[in-house]
Amino acid sequence: KEEAVLAEQYLWLELNRFPERFKYAVNVSEGAADADTPPMLIHSILQESLYSNIINADKNDDYYLTVDFIKREHDLLIQVKDNGPAKEDGVMQKNNGLQEGNRDILADRLHVINSSAVQPILLNYSRTENENIAELKIAQPLFNS
């Protein structure tokens, strides 16, 4: 629940910095609000999605970003999706170090968390025809009590 609130607040702040550049939605499915997730885990994913795929892309397009928290039987699935251009289309952010730095920070955090988690948190990036997708799969419970 707290992670969803933080995502909502961060996206609201960025939308106010860049008005009319994108729309966003944060969705929490039934049961997902009580799932365990490390705080601020998706922040760098949101930042990368905004700055790599949306903010520095063509301003004429109608961009969106969605964050879905989905509770499955033994997992919490967090999906961050945007309809920004694919990275291979040449869309680069102004600060080229942001993406690499964010991924390094996230990889380091996942390494530390996974060293004591019941099962490792899995992170996967993919691209469909129209969307960039980052997906975190977090076993529930995350840690032994």
Side-chain angles (χ1 to χ4, degrees):
K1 180 178 177 181
E2 292 86 8
E3 190 76 357
V5 170
L6 289 171
E8 180 89 30
Q9 291 172 342
Y10 173 69
L11 293 171
W12 179 85
L13 285 170
E14 291 293 5
L15 183 62
N16 281 285
R17 286 183 63 208
F18 303 100
E20 301 179 26
R21 289 303 308 274
F22 66 98
K23 293 179 174 88
Y24 71 88
V26 177
N27 307 302
V28 181
S29 73
E30 187 176 332
D34 297 325
D36 293 330
T37 182
M40 299 292 291
L41 187 63
I42 65 167
H43 180 78
S44 58
I45 295 172
L46 294 174
Q47 193 174 27
E48 180 178 352
S49 181
L50 282 173
Y51 286 91
S52 293
N53 305 340
I54 294 175
I55 300 300
N56 294 313
D58 184 3
K59 292 181 183 181
N60 297 326
D61 287 332
D62 206 11
Y63 294 116
Y64 66 83
L65 187 149
T66 61
V67 184
D68 296 307
F69 293 82
I70 305 161
K71 180 70 169 81
R72 301 253 169 92
E73 188 174 344
H74 299 289
D75 298 313
L76 173 66
L77 194 62
I78 303 173
Q79 294 178 328
V80 177
K81 299 178 184 177
D82 71 72
N83 68 333
K87 289 177 183 55
E88 57 269 15
D89 289 345
V91 174
M92 295 298 291
Q93 60 221 0
K94 293 174 185 167
N95 177 358
N96 290 332
L98 180 62
Q99 178 182 358
E100 290 176 13
N102 276 349
R103 286 207 180 171
D104 291 345
I105 291 168
L106 182 57
D108 289 346
R109 286 197 68 208
L110 288 175
H111 178 73
V112 169
I113 294 165
N114 286 342
S115 68
S116 58
V118 172
Q119 291 183 325
I121 296 174
L122 303 176
L123 173 62
N124 183 51
Y125 290 94
S126 61
R127 169 84 186 170
T128 66
E129 185 176 324
N130 300 317
E131 290 184 317
N132 299 297
I133 303 168
E135 185 173 271
L136 285 163
K137 182 178 175 187
I138 304 171
Q140 298 295 306
L142 180 56
F143 300 110
N144 288 325
S145 300

